[in-house]
Amino acid sequence: RNRCCAVPTVLCLSLPGAQKNIPWEVQRYDGWYNNLQHHSRGSVGSRFLRLLPANYADGVYQALQEPHVPNARQLSNTVAQGPSGLPSKRNTTVLAVFFGFHVLSDILGTEKPGCPAEFLNIHIPEGDPVFDPAGTGDVVLPFQRIHWALETGQSPNSPREQTNEVTGWLDGSSIYGPSHSWSDALRNFSNGQLASGPGGHVPRETDGKVPMWKALDPSTGQGGPRGIYDLGNAWGNENLFLQAMSIAWFRYHNYLASELAKNHPSWSDEDIFQHARKRVIATFQSIVLYEWLPALLGTPVQDYTGYQQHMDPSLSPEFVAAARIFLATMVPPGAYKRDPKCHLRNVSNSGGPFPVVRLCNSYWSRESTGMQQEDVDDLLLGMSSQIAEREDSIVVEDLQDYWYGPLKYSRTDYVASWLQRGRDLGLPTYNQARERFGLKPLQDWTKLDPHSQQKVLEVAALYANNTARLELIPGGMLEDDSPLFRTIILDQFVRLRDGDRFWFENIKNGLFTAKEVEEIRNTTFRDVLAAVTYSQQAELQNSVFVWSNGDPCPQPQQLTAQLLANCTPMTVLDYFEGSGAGFGIIIIVLCCLPLVSLFVAWIIAILRERDFKKLQKQKKASVRREVTGEAIQGEWHGPKTDSSLVYIQLQADKVLKVLDGRGLVLRCVSLKAQQKVEVILSSNKGNKALLLKSPKEYDLVLFFSEEAERSSFFGKLQDYLKTNCLELHVSEMKEQSLLKRAVTQEQRRRILETFFRHLFAQMLDIDKTDAGELNFESSQKAKESLTCELSRAEFAEALGLKANSMFVDSMFSLADKDGNGYISFREFLDILVVFMKGSSEEKSKLMFRMYDIDENGFLSKEEFLRMLRSFIEISNNCLSREQAEQVTESMFQVSGFQDRDELTWEDFHYMLRDHDNELRLTQLCIKGVPEVFKQNVHNRVSFIKKEPRGPKSRHCSLTHRPGGSCILNLLFFFYTRANQYQLHLYTEAQRKKYQQNRVQQKIQEFKRFIENYRRHIVCVVLFSAITTGLFVERAYYYAFASPSTGITQTTFVGIIISRGSAACISFMYSYILLTMCRNLITILRETFLNCYIPFDAAVDFHRWIAMAALVFSVLHTAGHLVNVYIFSVTPLSVLSCLFSSVFMNDGSQLPQKYYWWFFQTIPGMTGVLLLILLAVMYVFATHHFRRVSFQAFWITHHLYVLLYVLVIIHGSYALIQQPRFHIYFIIPALIYGADKLLSLSRKKVEISVLKAELLPSGVTHLRFQRPQDFDYKSGQWVRIACMALGTSEYHPFTLTSAPHEDTLSLHIRAVGPWTTRLRELYSPESLALIGKLPKLYLDGPFGEGHQEWHKFEVSVLVGGGIGVTPFASILKDLVFKSSINSKLMCKKIYFIWVTRTQRQFEWLADIIREVEEADRNELVSVHIYITQLAEKFDLRTTMLYICERHFQKVLNKSLFTGLRSITHFGRPPFVPFFDSLQEVHPEVHKIGVFSCGPPGMTKSVEKACQQLNKKDQAYFAHHYENF
């Protein structure tokens, strides 16, 4: 059909103004520069024009709310409720109503929420039949305030002014969009057409390029782009009727463009588009002003008199509310669909087919997808012949109760919402508006609407019968025929016309000629519909906005809600529905990250230990033994324990040996004392178990792989017993009963524990409640405790010795009076009484009997030597036989028995005459005896008491007090006795002592603590204060001082915690780098700053910062977990305010799910990666894993580079605030970088090793070239790497060379994989293969507290194990400086060497020997403590002490070390030792204590210093280093 014939006057004639080049000024899409004096008038984002002062509660921005104004829902029910179905007084059609909404969408955009989000929520009265049918009274419909100009609302002089989000001109922005980019997105750039979907009758569905509003369909809950078309107005798809109106204008543009293309084939796409757009806008303007507006208002519009430049056409808030409400009162509950022949079309619905489209079920409908031309045409035709609702206060339920809802509510009240919107806009009162527009103010309520007196009175009651309080919207709605609304609307459109420079009637703008203007004025909406639908003009009435009698296709009846399908009721969305489990799982996973890291570290530790054991096995190169005997699948040790593969050897001497896979003897089962051997076999579960009862020991339970294997072993056992004349008793029972019958090793241990409890209880008369009564509930096993007998192995275990030692053999033979191979309760008690309560004569007689092997009453030299060697066994045979013979001969000679080969007991006791007191104190220590008994043993621990002897010398007497352990602790006594062979350590105290009460002691202790740690305290307090200040500053900023973005109101707690902790983390993770600037610390510790900053505590401070940073990291994570949850339940309209760069409010209101925040954002992903990184770094940095696998620690700790990269990326996204990490990071990073470059410059230099020596105890001595300009101080350390090991990791070691030496030396003990491999590398075998000494890489030196030994007049050096290495350097340095008469502040050094056995560090003994020879001024006093003796049998400790003192007295050197330094047995008594120093050096006010060794030892030293610092005497400053 030729559509041109429908509008012959428009396009059938040539257009004289149409040229290839566009000669007119093209109107901007965004409304700018319409007025050349006021460029922004009517533009997108321009403010509304207030015709009256704003009516706000505070005069600025706070909206009026209850109780100042009525409840919005209650007022809506009072004003707007009523029966539907009353026709318009002017027979206005439904098409006119929705055309009006389309016009408003062209000039008005108020749907965009304001930022930050503010709410004027609508409280629903209790029992509301629609919104609160349950009568809970707690239903609140959210209502968000619209966008406003941020520069307004700051003072009463500038109250809040809202903005218009579209152009305020009738410029077709609802067709072409409010911006150039929007318009371009709607075009297909072909023949001037707007892009269309399939068929070309409707626009294309949105693809996200155009920001169309996509609210959820309240009737189905559907969302997304489906059924949403790209239109010029974002809200053009709000309902099917408005959508049809938008599609009509879309078609009209394409219709004109196609006609222009036909008539002007040479025109470009842009030419065609702009000509069509110009004509569409002009037609739209003409229809609005001269056809639709008079039909709507029933009032003609005055003639156009020309463009008025000074008129402000801006939209007023009064117009915004009046137009919306006036049109809303005319909206029907639905609309008919008909064809040109007046046939109604049924609409499918859930309740069945209806001839009407129900309004409440068509909001944001997604059913319009794939819409055909007929669907839109039928709806447009149906609306054109359907009469609208009456212009009164009644609003149909489709709007009043079932308008599409905001946020999580699917429905809301349109009228109540616009009442709140009016308050949001600050509308004037009803009377103020009437006066402004020349109408009389209301004085009498009855004159408001004479036809609705009851409704008026109800409204009056809500306003307390005060007409001055009546608001504009309810007042205008209640008016008869709405004079106020009509006046406001007419005034606005006239101003829009007269103030528009591009108005089509303005001849001066060059858009149209007078003839074209006339043609446009003659074009009606009927012509538009005829051009874009399949209807002919004859099938439409002359004015489609008004229906008159005789017009075609009258409506069947006026629609009422009762005739239509029911509205879908309100639903409430739960944004977090279905997310709880996943969110909880993520939290659990994040919490388990350290556990996972711990598990990985544990696996690595196991693998490293396994590799290390393999390395040790290879190192030992032991010859593998061939194990003979019966292979058994496993020996059962008890419940919840693993079985182990064993071999059984049947020995000829009635002994069964149990061996492991390596051939080592695990236990021996003696059958000598048994006449009958009991064996129990299992009778179920495959008959695989065998139990061999061992009455006086724990039983042997064997599991075989199969019954045949057990039968084979049992047969051999039978033959073996028969051969040895032993009777066999065999029985069977179920496996479970067999295992219950068996006495396990653990049960035997408990029996022996009870045995020893009652042994000591009987001997020492201890209350049996302390010993523990026997438990008769556990069958026969508990009753056997007192009747059990100890085997030789159990006896040796009780004494902590080996079963095959000479001492055990002698003692066991002596105690086993009946010779049955076991010691009974009575036999043990007899010998124990002698040790615990006997006199010195009885103890010496007992020892004499023990070693009188042939029992002839004499002790030969060989037997004496055997006794001595049994004592020496405890020190791992540290003395040779020649040394032992030398001691024996010396002791015989001193006692006058040099000519005798045998001793009587009297001679033996005479030999020990000088040590009678020690023998008297000798006791027996039994392993496993509880502390309660040890505390009751009246042992005696010695301490020092001075008695003046003379001006130059003194003697020491012993005073005793009860308490202590069951081990004979003669350490203090040894210490005093040592002085007669050594430098006099103790002198008279010159300091006056004061008795202090407990409070004074605590005060003194606190003062000393402050004195000792004042630098640490200041640094920690300062650092903590800065951290706290940063947290408080950020928390306060976001709580009270930040720009009003709304994020604080959204997640107050979460944002405060996360931002405050983020500032702390940024500070800590930045400045923690300074604690690792080793070169800088080494330099600064030699400056005055060392008086104020504890540089020696850099590593401890590093750990402290790291732990604090970890706490804040967890706090930061917790804050963000709160944020993520809140953001996951926060509507999109709020999120788009908070994160405008991330979210765009498209009306869907659906927020992103929690996993989006975690895994689809840069901060989220980097945050998760940071947590994983921290979990790995912190777990591998713990002491245990650092010790087990230093390489893993080294690798994981170097992930700090990745950590900082992720932190920078994490904050660079600027999701909440601009990046701030660089503020803290730049300075520390530059300093650390410079320090690192210095280290790298040194690391690149290879150092030649001059000598490599493998010393005993796994110590490797390396002597290597000293680099040029390598200056260091004694006590400093370096880091070395050896590339020959295939790794670049650096390990720290203390230099053992002195600064004056030309070379550097290290003593490295092989305790881990790296040091073990290093020892192997420098072994003679490896060097023979390599041919040369592998080179090293050196980094250092670095300072520590030990280098300050020379700053104290008196220094105490305490070294334990390999921890003596720094003191080797210090001792050599001290002696060298003393030998050259160098001026030293240090006047005396006490060196305490604590070692398990002196053989472990014989290299140090050589250094001490050199020191003793070079120490002419007696600056150094050396004390060596061999600790392994303190754990063994005290009788032997006593005898070794006697031998040691004798050797020292005769030869002036130690029996064990060969040094002049006295050797002590046991652990050093630090408290008495330090206490004596206070008296020896009364003039010294500060003594330096430097310790290096295991943590246990350094803690003991620290406790001793703390205890003595409580006194008002010399102050002990402790510096320690653990390894």
Side-chain angles (χ1 to χ4, degrees), residues 50 188 289 301 304 328 550 617 627 654 724 749 829 923 948 1011 1074 1105 1227 1250 1280 1328 1348 1515-1516:
R50 290 197 179 276
N188 63 6
L289 257 294
V301 178
Y304 181 68
K617 289 179 182 178
V627 183
K654 297 183 181 182
N724 288 278
R749 185 192 63 78
L829 181 62
Q923 297 173 2
E1011 181 180 358
L1074 297 183
I1105 295 176
I1227 294 177
L1250 304 177
I1280 65 167
E1348 296 186 354
Y1515 169 67
F1516 289 87

Side-chain angles (χ1 to χ4, degrees), residues 156-211:
N157 293 329
S158 178
R160 175 173 292 186
E161 293 184 9
Q162 287 70 24
T163 59
N164 190 3
E165 300 309 314
V166 298
T167 65
W169 310 103
L170 284 168
D171 58 357
S173 62
S174 61
I175 305 169
Y176 301 105
S179 67
H180 200 298
S181 59
W182 193 314
S183 177
D184 287 346
L186 296 177
R187 296 171 58 180
N188 63 6
F189 294 96
S190 175
N191 295 323
Q193 298 272 330
L194 294 173
S196 60
H201 303 294
V202 294
R204 64 187 174 196
E205 284 193 354
T206 186
D207 57 0
K209 295 180 181 178
V210 178

Side-chain angles (χ1 to χ4, degrees), residues 950-962:
K952 293 185 180 180
S953 65
R954 59 183 296 271
H955 71 274
C956 300
S957 64
L958 291 175
T959 306
H960 306 292
R961 57 183 174 88

Side-chain angles (χ1 to χ4, degrees), residues 1475-1505:
D1475 193 22
S1476 65
L1477 293 181
Q1478 291 180 327
E1479 302 177 4
V1480 172
H1481 304 282
E1483 74 286 354
V1484 177
H1485 295 279
K1486 194 171 186 178
I1487 298 175
V1489 180
F1490 304 87
S1491 65
C1492 182
M1497 187 199 74
T1498 56
K1499 286 181 181 178
S1500 299
V1501 176
E1502 175 66 18
K1503 288 181 180 178
C1505 293

Side-chain angles (χ1 to χ4, degrees), residues 890-903:
S890 176
M891 294 184 71
F892 268 66
Q893 185 175 1
V894 169
S895 302
F897 303 141
Q898 63 271 19
D899 298 329
R900 302 176 61 175
D901 294 328
E902 293 181 328
L903 299 176

